[in-house]
Amino acid sequence: MAPVGGTAVQDHVALAEIELCGELIIAASAAEDRLSLESIDAVLRVAEERESAEV
């Protein structure tokens, strides 16, 4: 049972992972065939992460 009084703890990394998983599920359900690795990278915004890491 959760404690009463609004002492919720948020794990921002876990929340971001859940959001990305949801986006992958949506993309996979909308696709006619399996998602390619490039499509998965696009959904997960891999190129954006690489660009920001290089700066």
Side-chain angles (χ1 to χ4, degrees), residues 18-35:
I18 292 167
E19 182 178 344
L20 290 173
C21 286
E23 291 177 19
L24 274 176
I25 291 168
I26 291 168
S29 65
E32 292 181 12
D33 203 5
R34 296 179 124 191
L35 292 178

Side-chain angles (χ1 to χ4, degrees), residues 1-10:
M1 186 169 187
V4 178
T7 59
V9 176
Q10 289 189 6

Side-chain angles (χ1 to χ4, degrees), residues 26-54:
I26 291 168
S29 65
E32 292 181 12
D33 203 5
R34 296 179 124 191
L35 292 178
S36 67
L37 293 178
E38 293 81 18
S39 297
I40 293 170
D41 285 350
V43 171
L44 298 178
R45 299 181 290 274
V46 172
E48 294 173 18
E49 287 296 320
R50 286 186 186 142
E51 290 172 3
S52 66
E54 291 175 357

